[in-house]
Amino acid sequence: MTSYAKRTEDELLSPENTVLTVIDYQPTQINSVNSMNRSELIRNTEIVIELAKLYNIPIVLSTVNVEKGWNTDTIPVLKKAIGEDVPSYDRSSINAWEDKEYNEAIKATGRKKILIVALWTEACLTFPTLDALKEGYEVYPIVDAVGGTSPIAHETALRRVEQAGAQLTSIAQLACELQRDWNREETVPGFDELLTKLGAFSNLR
């Protein structure tokens, strides 16, 4: 049971090479999701955020049209999970990649692997994903924490970004990829708690 040393260059997702972006988890967008149960969507997104915090992955948060008064902020449960110390970049653009402050915030992390959750899948996830891929980033939509206006809109958007080179992932896969080795004991309790919350582990063990 001898593990190799932790990789310094890693093709897989690791806490050191990824950034998480959370885009438009606002009441208007959440209330118009029809591709999955909305309570499950919120719970799953909270788990994604908690995974990022557990593994010290930077988070870039964005909203649309809050300053214009046309929309309200990120829903409180997710805002609390992210933390008040994380700035929120409000935009007028549907495509976050076309917002200067947001774009600069992603690039300032120096990380080329972007984990993305955004509402809706067919717009606010698709557009920055396509742009980031074009600029040489690797983009990983977390499929069980995103949603669209209908099942077909959601699935078609995922097909479009996948064909363009995005690498779809799920919460359980992401968690295992970040943990990677049970010898990294400092994150094992948090990993166990979050996978139990997701339902991947039984709390009867």
Side-chain angles (χ1 to χ4, degrees), residues 8-9 14-20 58-60 97 102-114 136-138:
T8 55
E9 298 291 330
S14 75
E16 293 77 25
N17 65 18
T18 60
V19 54
L20 170 66
I59 299 172
V60 178
W97 206 257
Y102 172 87
N103 192 299
E104 290 175 351
I106 290 284
K107 292 175 178 176
T109 68
R111 298 175 180 219
K112 301 295 284 187
K113 298 179 187 288
I114 302 173
Y137 288 83
E138 297 175 26

Side-chain angles (χ1 to χ4, degrees), residues 2 22 30 58 64 78 137 156 181 191 199:
T2 305
V22 179
I30 290 170
V64 65
L78 299 185
Y137 288 83
T156 302
D181 192 328
F191 173 92

